[in-house]
Amino acid sequence: MVARTGSAVIVGVRARPVTVEADVSSGLPGMTVVGLADAAINEARDRVRAAVQHSCAEWPRTRITVALLPSSLPKRGSALDAAIAVAVLAAGRQVPSEAAARVCVLGELGLDGRLHAVPGVIAAALAVRGRSGLRLLVPEANLGEAMLVPDLDAGGVRDLDHLIAILRGDAAPTDASPQPLADPLTSGPDLADVRGQVEARSALEVAAAGGHHLSLIGEPGAGKSMLATRLPGLLPPLGDEAALEVTAIRSIAGQLAPGDGLWRRPPFVAPHHTASSVAIIGGGQAGRVTVGAITLAHRGVLFLDEAPEFARSVLEAMRQPLEEGEVRVARADLSVTLPARFQLVLAANPCPCGRGLGDGADCSCSSVQRRRYSARISGPLADRIDLRLQVRRPAAGALGDDGESTAVVAERVRQARERMRARWHGTAWQVNADVPGPALRRDWPAEERATSILSRAVARGALTLRGADRVLRVAWTLADLADRVRPGSDDIARAIALRGPEAA
Ligand SMILES: [Zn+2]
C-alpha cells in the first residue's frame, strides 16, 4: 500500500514543500529512498528504522520504497526523518493514512525516537500557512519558533510515540505556551554615549533617515565602530512581514535561540575582513547553500570595518546586491536567489599608517600608497555611497557635551520616513537613497536657487553629474528631517559637505 505525508526542505532562505511517499509491498525486507537524497538522507534510513523499533509501532518486515518529491529538488539534512517515519508507518497500516496526508511534519529522529529541533522552521511555517486543512507538526523545541507565524495550525511533538498517538487520534500535540518574547528594541547601544561628535552624530541621523550608505574615514580609535553600532537603533523597527523574514533567515542560519521572539530591530552584521567570500556573500556546496553576512544583514546594517582590507573580489561581489537587493548564488544543481537588501557602512583609516586625515602632517605614507589604499573601496562601491564622513577623535573639552539619546533621534527619523513614504507612494522606492538621480532631477527638483548652486558646481567641475545626484538625494533627506517641502540652498550646501572630500 502507498501512503504519503508532507514535509519541507530549505532552499536558500525559503522552504519548499516536499511530499514523502512510502510504498510497502511484498518482497525481501529492505528500504530504498529515491529522489536526489544526499548522504544525510541515506543515514536517515538507519535513524528512522531504529526510532520505529524503539516505538510502540512495528517496522514493516517487507520491501519499503520511499520517494521524496519533487525529485528534482536537492534535499539535505535530517529534517525529513519524522516525515519518512510517518509515511512508512502509514503505508504499513500502523497509523491512519488520511491523518498522515493532512500533516506536514518536520524533525530529526534520535535513535531512541526523540524528535530533535531542526533549523528553518519559520520558513517552513510560512510555506505551510494558508494551505487549509494542513497541520504543521514540529519538534517541541521548535514550537515557539513556529508560533511566531500567525494564522497557522501548528503543534509540538515530543517523540515518535507521541507523533503516532497524535495521528491515531489518541493524543493532542503540545500547545504553544505564550512566548516570553525578548524585546530587542530595548537593548542596543545608545547614541547618547557618543560624546562630542556633533558632525558624526548628525550624519548618522541623515543616513538612518534616508537609508543612505555611509563611509566613515578616521584614524584608529576615533569612534567609527561606536557610531556604526548605533545606526540600527535609529532605524524604524521592522514591520510584521519584515520581522518574520529576518527571523526566518536567522533560524535557517542556526542563530535563533529557543525562546527568542521576532527580530523587530534591524540586524547589525559586521563580518571580519578575513572571513571567506562564502561567509560574506553566501554560496557553498551543491545543494547546500550557506547564507552569507549580506543576507544576515537583510533589512539591517552591514558594517565593514577596515574596509580596504577586504578582498577586492568580495567588495566587487557586493555591487549586485547593492543595486538589486538580492544576491544570486549559482551552483551546479541549483541557482538560488538570497535576499540582501542592507544598508552599508564602511569604515577605513585615512591611509595605511592611519594618520593621514586633514593636512596629514603626521602621515608617513607616500602619495601612491595613499591613493592605492583609498582606491580599494572607492573603486567598486563609490557610486553607491551617498555620505562620506571624516571622523576625528573628539577634543577633550567636547566630551562633556550631552548628546541626544537614540530615542529622540529615532523619532525624527521616523517622521522623516513618513514624509518619504508619502512622497514615494506608488513608486518602487521606499527611502530617498533608492531614488535614481535622473528621476529626482526631472520630477522632484530642489528650490530654484538650490538647483542653480548644484548646476554651477557641476559646470565648473567641482561635482560630477553622479556626484550631484548623490547630493540631491541627501538634500531631500535633510529637507525631510527639517519638514521642508523641498530642499533649499542650505540643504544643498550641507549635502555637499556630507558628501565628503573624496573625488567621485
Ligand atoms: Zn599615512
Side-chain angles (χ1 to χ4, degrees):
M1 130 150 210
V2 178
R4 53 185 62 87
T5 193
S7 190
V9 293
I10 303 298
V11 179
V13 299
R14 298 221 158 71
R16 304 251 189 102
V18 169
T19 300
V20 181
E21 256 181 23
D23 178 26
V24 172
S25 54
S26 56
L28 284 177
M31 180 176 177
T32 318
V33 180
V34 297
L36 262 189
D38 72 0
I41 289 174
N42 290 327
E43 286 164 19
R45 275 191 306 208
D46 302 331
R47 275 198 308 273
V48 170
R49 187 166 46 222
V52 170
Q53 280 162 354
H54 279 92
S55 76
C56 59
E58 268 176 45
W59 184 256
R61 300 188 55 81
T62 50
R63 166 124 215 95
I64 304 166
T65 309
V66 172
L68 309 173
L69 307 166
S71 57
S72 59
L73 201 61
K75 302 168 198 76
R76 66 169 172 111
S78 44
L80 296 173
D81 283 5
I84 294 173
V86 167
V88 169
L89 291 175
R93 298 175 202 277
Q94 304 273 312
V95 297
S97 58
E98 315 79 58
R102 281 197 305 270
V103 292
C104 176
V105 195
L106 299 173
E108 175 183 325
L109 281 171
L111 298 177
D112 58 358
R114 245 182 301 207
L115 214 57
H116 296 290
V118 292
V121 164
I122 298 184
L126 287 170
V128 167
R129 174 174 67 163
R131 290 174 61 193
S132 67
L134 199 61
R135 170 182 264 180
L136 181 67
L137 295 175
V138 300
E140 278 183 346
N142 287 129
L143 185 56
E145 202 185 316
M147 297 313 288
L148 294 174
V149 177
D151 310 320
L152 183 76
D153 180 8
V157 181
R158 221 165 27 248
D159 53 29
L160 190 55
D161 275 337
H162 187 202
L163 182 55
I164 291 167
I166 293 167
L167 294 168
R168 287 176 177 168
D170 297 337
T174 314
D175 265 340
S177 53
Q179 279 281 293
L181 297 183
D183 179 5
L185 288 177
T186 55
S187 55
D190 200 286
L191 195 60
D193 308 335
V194 184
R195 300 288 177 93
Q197 298 263 27
V198 181
E199 263 305 296
R201 294 168 50 104
S202 148
L204 207 60
E205 177 175 343
V206 175
H212 305 283
H213 302 309
L214 168 72
S215 75
L216 303 166
I217 311 293
E219 55 190 19
K224 298 177 300 246
S225 301
M226 194 176 185
L227 284 162
T229 50
R230 280 154 179 83
L231 180 54
L234 300 180
L235 298 171
L238 302 174
D240 288 346
E241 287 303 308
L244 277 172
E245 193 183 10
V246 163
T247 312
I249 290 170
R250 258 145 203 82
S251 161
I252 284 165
Q255 295 186 359
L256 202 65
D260 273 0
L262 275 186
W263 270 61
R264 291 283 178 187
R265 180 188 285 283
F268 179 84
V269 182
H272 193 259
H273 61 78
T274 55
S276 69
S277 167
V278 167
I280 297 173
I281 305 297
Q285 314 282 301
R288 188 189 185 91
V289 177
T290 304
V291 166
I294 62 171
T295 295
L296 290 168
H298 180 57
R299 297 188 183 278
V301 174
L302 182 75
F303 178 49
L304 302 184
D305 198 8
E306 301 186 58
E309 305 296 331
F310 281 77
R312 174 122 191 152
S313 59
V314 167
L315 296 174
E316 289 278 357
M318 279 182 200
R319 210 199 288 249
Q320 182 216 343
L322 279 174
E323 274 167 25
E324 297 168 20
E326 55 187 32
V327 60
R328 277 187 299 279
V329 178
R331 298 272 79 88
D333 55 350
L334 191 70
S335 170
V336 177
T337 301
L338 303 173
R341 186 172 298 284
F342 54 86
Q343 188 168 0
L344 181 65
V345 179
L346 296 178
N349 295 335
C351 61
C353 86
R355 295 186 298 271
L357 212 58
D359 62 2
D362 299 333
C363 171
S364 57
C365 310
S366 71
S367 60
V368 174
Q369 279 176 314
R370 296 183 59 148
R371 237 187 354 262
R372 255 192 222 142
Y373 186 78
S374 58
R376 278 195 228 158
I377 46 172
S378 63
L381 302 175
D383 275 357
R384 311 296 308 173
I385 295 172
D386 289 342
L387 298 169
R388 297 199 184 88
L389 185 70
Q390 299 205 339
V391 186
R392 291 183 171 78
R393 240 176 263 187
L399 287 174
D401 292 351
D402 264 345
E404 288 172 311
S405 69
T406 288
V408 170
V409 179
E411 174 56 21
R412 275 200 302 273
V413 168
R414 190 189 65 77
Q415 291 176 12
R417 286 276 178 117
E418 254 168 39
R419 288 171 200 122
M420 282 175 226
R421 201 176 6 252
R423 182 168 60 248
W424 307 131
H425 183 78
T427 73
W429 313 312
Q430 316 255 317
V431 287
N432 293 344
D434 296 339
V435 187
L440 266 189
R441 270 180 273 135
R442 191 181 56 237
D443 301 326
W444 289 276
E447 278 173 16
E448 211 169 305
R449 216 161 73 81
T451 307
S452 71
I453 292 176
L454 209 50
S455 314
R456 281 203 303 278
V458 173
R460 66 168 192 274
L463 270 180
T464 62
L465 205 55
R466 278 167 182 273
D469 288 345
R470 292 203 290 276
V471 166
L472 201 49
R473 275 198 289 270
V474 172
W476 266 106
T477 302
L478 291 165
D480 286 330
L481 279 166
D483 196 14
R484 281 189 280 276
V485 235
R486 61 179 57 216
S489 41
D490 286 355
D491 295 322
I492 294 288
R494 176 95 206 293
I496 289 177
L498 283 169
R499 207 188 124 264
E502 222 171 308

PDB file of all heavy atoms in Angstrom, residues 382-412:
ATOM      1  N   ALA A 382      31.990  53.125  -4.787  1.00  0.00           N
ATOM      2  CA  ALA A 382      31.855  54.575  -4.596  1.00  0.00           C
ATOM      3  C   ALA A 382      30.499  55.118  -5.032  1.00  0.00           C
ATOM      4  O   ALA A 382      29.905  55.937  -4.337  1.00  0.00           O
ATOM      5  CB  ALA A 382      32.958  55.296  -5.351  1.00  0.00           C
ATOM      6  N   ASP A 383      30.012  54.633  -6.169  1.00  0.00           N
ATOM      7  CA  ASP A 383      28.764  55.163  -6.717  1.00  0.00           C
ATOM      8  C   ASP A 383      27.591  54.999  -5.783  1.00  0.00           C
ATOM      9  O   ASP A 383      26.604  55.721  -5.895  1.00  0.00           O
ATOM     10  CB  ASP A 383      28.418  54.428  -8.015  1.00  0.00           C
ATOM     11  CG  ASP A 383      29.132  55.067  -9.177  1.00  0.00           C
ATOM     12  OD1 ASP A 383      29.813  56.084  -8.949  1.00  0.00           O
ATOM     13  OD2 ASP A 383      29.009  54.533 -10.289  1.00  0.00           O
ATOM     14  N   ARG A 384      27.656  53.996  -4.928  1.00  0.00           N
ATOM     15  CA  ARG A 384      26.501  53.681  -4.095  1.00  0.00           C
ATOM     16  C   ARG A 384      26.537  54.398  -2.748  1.00  0.00           C
ATOM     17  O   ARG A 384      25.590  54.306  -1.988  1.00  0.00           O
ATOM     18  CB  ARG A 384      26.408  52.161  -3.857  1.00  0.00           C
ATOM     19  CG  ARG A 384      26.525  51.313  -5.106  1.00  0.00           C
ATOM     20  CD  ARG A 384      25.410  51.542  -6.079  1.00  0.00           C
ATOM     21  NE  ARG A 384      24.093  51.406  -5.447  1.00  0.00           N
ATOM     22  CZ  ARG A 384      22.965  51.682  -6.039  1.00  0.00           C
ATOM     23  NH1 ARG A 384      22.958  52.106  -7.277  1.00  0.00           N
ATOM     24  NH2 ARG A 384      21.829  51.528  -5.408  1.00  0.00           N
ATOM     25  N   ILE A 385      27.651  55.054  -2.449  1.00  0.00           N
ATOM     26  CA  ILE A 385      27.786  55.657  -1.113  1.00  0.00           C
ATOM     27  C   ILE A 385      27.488  57.152  -1.175  1.00  0.00           C
ATOM     28  O   ILE A 385      28.228  57.924  -1.778  1.00  0.00           O
ATOM     29  CB  ILE A 385      29.194  55.374  -0.553  1.00  0.00           C
ATOM     30  CG1 ILE A 385      29.323  53.871  -0.337  1.00  0.00           C
ATOM     31  CG2 ILE A 385      29.422  56.129   0.754  1.00  0.00           C
ATOM     32  CD1 ILE A 385      30.685  53.415   0.026  1.00  0.00           C
ATOM     33  N   ASP A 386      26.377  57.545  -0.552  1.00  0.00           N
ATOM     34  CA  ASP A 386      25.936  58.938  -0.608  1.00  0.00           C
ATOM     35  C   ASP A 386      26.649  59.810   0.418  1.00  0.00           C
ATOM     36  O   ASP A 386      26.812  61.007   0.216  1.00  0.00           O
ATOM     37  CB  ASP A 386      24.422  59.028  -0.346  1.00  0.00           C
ATOM     38  CG  ASP A 386      23.603  58.480  -1.518  1.00  0.00           C
ATOM     39  OD1 ASP A 386      24.172  58.366  -2.619  1.00  0.00           O
ATOM     40  OD2 ASP A 386      22.420  58.175  -1.322  1.00  0.00           O
ATOM     41  N   LEU A 387      27.036  59.226   1.547  1.00  0.00           N
ATOM     42  CA  LEU A 387      27.588  60.020   2.651  1.00  0.00           C
ATOM     43  C   LEU A 387      29.006  59.572   2.959  1.00  0.00           C
ATOM     44  O   LEU A 387      29.249  58.392   3.190  1.00  0.00           O
ATOM     45  CB  LEU A 387      26.735  59.839   3.907  1.00  0.00           C
ATOM     46  CG  LEU A 387      25.279  60.282   3.832  1.00  0.00           C
ATOM     47  CD1 LEU A 387      24.520  59.788   5.055  1.00  0.00           C
ATOM     48  CD2 LEU A 387      25.189  61.792   3.743  1.00  0.00           C
ATOM     49  N   ARG A 388      29.922  60.547   2.972  1.00  0.00           N
ATOM     50  CA  ARG A 388      31.313  60.227   3.323  1.00  0.00           C
ATOM     51  C   ARG A 388      31.728  61.134   4.467  1.00  0.00           C
ATOM     52  O   ARG A 388      31.837  62.337   4.308  1.00  0.00           O
ATOM     53  CB  ARG A 388      32.229  60.454   2.140  1.00  0.00           C
ATOM     54  CG  ARG A 388      31.909  59.552   0.978  1.00  0.00           C
ATOM     55  CD  ARG A 388      33.078  59.475   0.032  1.00  0.00           C
ATOM     56  NE  ARG A 388      32.703  58.690  -1.124  1.00  0.00           N
ATOM     57  CZ  ARG A 388      32.128  59.221  -2.194  1.00  0.00           C
ATOM     58  NH1 ARG A 388      31.894  60.513  -2.244  1.00  0.00           N
ATOM     59  NH2 ARG A 388      31.811  58.461  -3.211  1.00  0.00           N
ATOM     60  N   LEU A 389      31.965  60.519   5.587  1.00  0.00           N
ATOM     61  CA  LEU A 389      32.187  61.302   6.794  1.00  0.00           C
ATOM     62  C   LEU A 389      33.621  61.121   7.292  1.00  0.00           C
ATOM     63  O   LEU A 389      34.125  60.006   7.345  1.00  0.00           O
ATOM     64  CB  LEU A 389      31.204  60.815   7.866  1.00  0.00           C
ATOM     65  CG  LEU A 389      31.214  61.594   9.156  1.00  0.00           C
ATOM     66  CD1 LEU A 389      30.635  62.974   8.925  1.00  0.00           C
ATOM     67  CD2 LEU A 389      30.435  60.837  10.217  1.00  0.00           C
ATOM     68  N   GLN A 390      34.249  62.234   7.641  1.00  0.00           N
ATOM     69  CA  GLN A 390      35.552  62.149   8.293  1.00  0.00           C
ATOM     70  C   GLN A 390      35.310  62.177   9.796  1.00  0.00           C
ATOM     71  O   GLN A 390      34.668  63.089  10.313  1.00  0.00           O
ATOM     72  CB  GLN A 390      36.415  63.334   7.882  1.00  0.00           C
ATOM     73  CG  GLN A 390      36.662  63.340   6.380  1.00  0.00           C
ATOM     74  CD  GLN A 390      37.925  64.080   6.017  1.00  0.00           C
ATOM     75  OE1 GLN A 390      38.429  64.909   6.778  1.00  0.00           O
ATOM     76  NE2 GLN A 390      38.454  63.796   4.845  1.00  0.00           N
ATOM     77  N   VAL A 391      35.809  61.167  10.470  1.00  0.00           N
ATOM     78  CA  VAL A 391      35.589  61.062  11.911  1.00  0.00           C
ATOM     79  C   VAL A 391      36.895  61.381  12.627  1.00  0.00           C
ATOM     80  O   VAL A 391      37.914  60.750  12.385  1.00  0.00           O
ATOM     81  CB  VAL A 391      35.114  59.641  12.299  1.00  0.00           C
ATOM     82  CG1 VAL A 391      34.751  59.601  13.777  1.00  0.00           C
ATOM     83  CG2 VAL A 391      33.928  59.222  11.454  1.00  0.00           C
ATOM     84  N   ARG A 392      36.834  62.373  13.495  1.00  0.00           N
ATOM     85  CA  ARG A 392      38.017  62.732  14.282  1.00  0.00           C
ATOM     86  C   ARG A 392      37.775  62.417  15.734  1.00  0.00           C
ATOM     87  O   ARG A 392      36.644  62.472  16.208  1.00  0.00           O
ATOM     88  CB  ARG A 392      38.323  64.224  14.120  1.00  0.00           C
ATOM     89  CG  ARG A 392      38.813  64.557  12.733  1.00  0.00           C
ATOM     90  CD  ARG A 392      39.191  66.018  12.604  1.00  0.00           C
ATOM     91  NE  ARG A 392      39.842  66.265  11.333  1.00  0.00           N
ATOM     92  CZ  ARG A 392      39.182  66.387  10.172  1.00  0.00           C
ATOM     93  NH1 ARG A 392      37.866  66.276  10.154  1.00  0.00           N
ATOM     94  NH2 ARG A 392      39.834  66.589   9.042  1.00  0.00           N
ATOM     95  N   ARG A 393      38.844  62.098  16.442  1.00  0.00           N
ATOM     96  CA  ARG A 393      38.722  61.909  17.875  1.00  0.00           C
ATOM     97  C   ARG A 393      38.199  63.204  18.485  1.00  0.00           C
ATOM     98  O   ARG A 393      38.706  64.277  18.164  1.00  0.00           O
ATOM     99  CB  ARG A 393      40.097  61.585  18.465  1.00  0.00           C
ATOM    100  CG  ARG A 393      40.117  60.234  19.150  1.00  0.00           C
ATOM    101  CD  ARG A 393      41.496  59.927  19.629  1.00  0.00           C
ATOM    102  NE  ARG A 393      42.179  59.077  18.655  1.00  0.00           N
ATOM    103  CZ  ARG A 393      43.370  58.528  18.863  1.00  0.00           C
ATOM    104  NH1 ARG A 393      44.016  58.789  19.967  1.00  0.00           N
ATOM    105  NH2 ARG A 393      43.921  57.755  17.960  1.00  0.00           N
ATOM    106  N   PRO A 394      37.172  63.149  19.342  1.00  0.00           N
ATOM    107  CA  PRO A 394      36.624  64.394  19.886  1.00  0.00           C
ATOM    108  C   PRO A 394      37.660  65.115  20.738  1.00  0.00           C
ATOM    109  O   PRO A 394      38.459  64.475  21.423  1.00  0.00           O
ATOM    110  CB  PRO A 394      35.439  63.923  20.738  1.00  0.00           C
ATOM    111  CG  PRO A 394      35.671  62.472  20.985  1.00  0.00           C
ATOM    112  CD  PRO A 394      36.480  61.956  19.850  1.00  0.00           C
ATOM    113  N   ALA A 395      37.635  66.457  20.676  1.00  0.00           N
ATOM    114  CA  ALA A 395      38.526  67.247  21.518  1.00  0.00           C
ATOM    115  C   ALA A 395      38.145  67.028  22.976  1.00  0.00           C
ATOM    116  O   ALA A 395      36.975  66.788  23.292  1.00  0.00           O
ATOM    117  CB  ALA A 395      38.390  68.727  21.150  1.00  0.00           C
ATOM    118  N   ALA A 396      39.122  67.089  23.870  1.00  0.00           N
ATOM    119  CA  ALA A 396      38.897  66.755  25.278  1.00  0.00           C
ATOM    120  C   ALA A 396      37.761  67.585  25.871  1.00  0.00           C
ATOM    121  O   ALA A 396      36.935  67.078  26.618  1.00  0.00           O
ATOM    122  CB  ALA A 396      40.175  66.958  26.078  1.00  0.00           C
ATOM    123  N   GLY A 397      37.673  68.866  25.526  1.00  0.00           N
ATOM    124  CA  GLY A 397      36.659  69.745  26.093  1.00  0.00           C
ATOM    125  C   GLY A 397      35.251  69.389  25.661  1.00  0.00           C
ATOM    126  O   GLY A 397      34.277  69.692  26.352  1.00  0.00           O
ATOM    127  N   ALA A 398      35.139  68.725  24.504  1.00  0.00           N
ATOM    128  CA  ALA A 398      33.821  68.422  23.953  1.00  0.00           C
ATOM    129  C   ALA A 398      33.200  67.203  24.621  1.00  0.00           C
ATOM    130  O   ALA A 398      32.019  66.934  24.464  1.00  0.00           O
ATOM    131  CB  ALA A 398      33.937  68.168  22.454  1.00  0.00           C
ATOM    132  N   LEU A 399      33.997  66.461  25.394  1.00  0.00           N
ATOM    133  CA  LEU A 399      33.498  65.193  25.923  1.00  0.00           C
ATOM    134  C   LEU A 399      32.334  65.382  26.882  1.00  0.00           C
ATOM    135  O   LEU A 399      31.550  64.476  27.082  1.00  0.00           O
ATOM    136  CB  LEU A 399      34.637  64.434  26.616  1.00  0.00           C
ATOM    137  CG  LEU A 399      35.659  63.844  25.646  1.00  0.00           C
ATOM    138  CD1 LEU A 399      36.825  63.243  26.402  1.00  0.00           C
ATOM    139  CD2 LEU A 399      35.013  62.799  24.753  1.00  0.00           C
ATOM    140  N   GLY A 400      32.223  66.566  27.469  1.00  0.00           N
ATOM    141  CA  GLY A 400      31.140  66.803  28.413  1.00  0.00           C
ATOM    142  C   GLY A 400      29.807  67.070  27.749  1.00  0.00           C
ATOM    143  O   GLY A 400      28.775  67.037  28.409  1.00  0.00           O
ATOM    144  N   ASP A 401      29.822  67.336  26.438  1.00  0.00           N
ATOM    145  CA  ASP A 401      28.567  67.628  25.741  1.00  0.00           C
ATOM    146  C   ASP A 401      27.558  66.508  25.926  1.00  0.00           C
ATOM    147  O   ASP A 401      27.883  65.349  25.743  1.00  0.00           O
ATOM    148  CB  ASP A 401      28.811  67.766  24.223  1.00  0.00           C
ATOM    149  CG  ASP A 401      29.632  68.998  23.920  1.00  0.00           C
ATOM    150  OD1 ASP A 401      29.833  69.794  24.848  1.00  0.00           O
ATOM    151  OD2 ASP A 401      30.060  69.141  22.762  1.00  0.00           O
ATOM    152  N   ASP A 402      26.343  66.897  26.237  1.00  0.00           N
ATOM    153  CA  ASP A 402      25.295  65.893  26.319  1.00  0.00           C
ATOM    154  C   ASP A 402      24.652  65.754  24.955  1.00  0.00           C
ATOM    155  O   ASP A 402      24.089  66.718  24.439  1.00  0.00           O
ATOM    156  CB  ASP A 402      24.251  66.306  27.358  1.00  0.00           C
ATOM    157  CG  ASP A 402      24.542  65.647  28.693  1.00  0.00           C
ATOM    158  OD1 ASP A 402      25.348  64.703  28.703  1.00  0.00           O
ATOM    159  OD2 ASP A 402      23.961  66.069  29.703  1.00  0.00           O
ATOM    160  N   GLY A 403      24.733  64.583  24.386  1.00  0.00           N
ATOM    161  CA  GLY A 403      24.105  64.368  23.090  1.00  0.00           C
ATOM    162  C   GLY A 403      22.689  63.848  23.282  1.00  0.00           C
ATOM    163  O   GLY A 403      22.323  63.366  24.349  1.00  0.00           O
ATOM    164  N   GLU A 404      21.877  63.951  22.244  1.00  0.00           N
ATOM    165  CA  GLU A 404      20.526  63.411  22.299  1.00  0.00           C
ATOM    166  C   GLU A 404      20.582  61.888  22.348  1.00  0.00           C
ATOM    167  O   GLU A 404      21.508  61.268  21.823  1.00  0.00           O
ATOM    168  CB  GLU A 404      19.750  63.851  21.052  1.00  0.00           C
ATOM    169  CG  GLU A 404      19.387  65.317  21.052  1.00  0.00           C
ATOM    170  CD  GLU A 404      18.787  65.727  19.713  1.00  0.00           C
ATOM    171  OE1 GLU A 404      19.393  65.404  18.678  1.00  0.00           O
ATOM    172  OE2 GLU A 404      17.733  66.350  19.719  1.00  0.00           O
ATOM    173  N   SER A 405      19.549  61.299  22.915  1.00  0.00           N
ATOM    174  CA  SER A 405      19.509  59.844  23.018  1.00  0.00           C
ATOM    175  C   SER A 405      19.020  59.240  21.704  1.00  0.00           C
ATOM    176  O   SER A 405      18.462  59.928  20.845  1.00  0.00           O
ATOM    177  CB  SER A 405      18.567  59.431  24.139  1.00  0.00           C
ATOM    178  OG  SER A 405      17.248  59.742  23.753  1.00  0.00           O
ATOM    179  N   THR A 406      19.219  57.946  21.582  1.00  0.00           N
ATOM    180  CA  THR A 406      18.729  57.209  20.416  1.00  0.00           C
ATOM    181  C   THR A 406      17.232  57.420  20.228  1.00  0.00           C
ATOM    182  O   THR A 406      16.768  57.638  19.098  1.00  0.00           O
ATOM    183  CB  THR A 406      19.045  55.703  20.590  1.00  0.00           C
ATOM    184  OG1 THR A 406      20.464  55.527  20.435  1.00  0.00           O
ATOM    185  CG2 THR A 406      18.327  54.857  19.553  1.00  0.00           C
ATOM    186  N   ALA A 407      16.471  57.399  21.316  1.00  0.00           N
ATOM    187  CA  ALA A 407      15.011  57.522  21.203  1.00  0.00           C
ATOM    188  C   ALA A 407      14.601  58.853  20.564  1.00  0.00           C
ATOM    189  O   ALA A 407      13.709  58.890  19.714  1.00  0.00           O
ATOM    190  CB  ALA A 407      14.375  57.366  22.584  1.00  0.00           C
ATOM    191  N   VAL A 408      15.273  59.936  20.970  1.00  0.00           N
ATOM    192  CA  VAL A 408      14.924  61.262  20.449  1.00  0.00           C
ATOM    193  C   VAL A 408      15.223  61.339  18.948  1.00  0.00           C
ATOM    194  O   VAL A 408      14.397  61.796  18.148  1.00  0.00           O
ATOM    195  CB  VAL A 408      15.701  62.367  21.214  1.00  0.00           C
ATOM    196  CG1 VAL A 408      15.540  63.713  20.525  1.00  0.00           C
ATOM    197  CG2 VAL A 408      15.239  62.431  22.659  1.00  0.00           C
ATOM    198  N   VAL A 409      16.409  60.873  18.559  1.00  0.00           N
ATOM    199  CA  VAL A 409      16.798  60.956  17.151  1.00  0.00           C
ATOM    200  C   VAL A 409      15.950  59.990  16.314  1.00  0.00           C
ATOM    201  O   VAL A 409      15.520  60.334  15.204  1.00  0.00           O
ATOM    202  CB  VAL A 409      18.308  60.654  16.981  1.00  0.00           C
ATOM    203  CG1 VAL A 409      18.709  60.718  15.515  1.00  0.00           C
ATOM    204  CG2 VAL A 409      19.131  61.641  17.805  1.00  0.00           C
ATOM    205  N   ALA A 410      15.673  58.808  16.853  1.00  0.00           N
ATOM    206  CA  ALA A 410      14.873  57.815  16.116  1.00  0.00           C
ATOM    207  C   ALA A 410      13.482  58.367  15.805  1.00  0.00           C
ATOM    208  O   ALA A 410      12.892  58.035  14.769  1.00  0.00           O
ATOM    209  CB  ALA A 410      14.771  56.514  16.898  1.00  0.00           C
ATOM    210  N   GLU A 411      12.949  59.194  16.692  1.00  0.00           N
ATOM    211  CA  GLU A 411      11.629  59.791  16.454  1.00  0.00           C
ATOM    212  C   GLU A 411      11.682  60.757  15.264  1.00  0.00           C
ATOM    213  O   GLU A 411      10.781  60.771  14.430  1.00  0.00           O
ATOM    214  CB  GLU A 411      11.142  60.491  17.734  1.00  0.00           C
ATOM    215  CG  GLU A 411       9.837  61.273  17.586  1.00  0.00           C
ATOM    216  CD  GLU A 411       8.662  60.445  17.070  1.00  0.00           C
ATOM    217  OE1 GLU A 411       8.690  59.210  17.173  1.00  0.00           O
ATOM    218  OE2 GLU A 411       7.711  61.061  16.524  1.00  0.00           O
ATOM    219  N   ARG A 412      12.763  61.557  15.173  1.00  0.00           N
ATOM    220  CA  ARG A 412      12.892  62.441  13.996  1.00  0.00           C
ATOM    221  C   ARG A 412      13.040  61.616  12.717  1.00  0.00           C
ATOM    222  O   ARG A 412      12.482  61.944  11.670  1.00  0.00           O
ATOM    223  CB  ARG A 412      14.103  63.371  14.158  1.00  0.00           C
ATOM    224  CG  ARG A 412      13.830  64.634  14.946  1.00  0.00           C
ATOM    225  CD  ARG A 412      14.879  65.703  14.645  1.00  0.00           C
ATOM    226  NE  ARG A 412      16.239  65.287  14.937  1.00  0.00           N
ATOM    227  CZ  ARG A 412      16.829  65.404  16.133  1.00  0.00           C
ATOM    228  NH1 ARG A 412      16.175  65.915  17.147  1.00  0.00           N
ATOM    229  NH2 ARG A 412      18.074  64.997  16.316  1.00  0.00           N
TER     230      ARG A 412
END
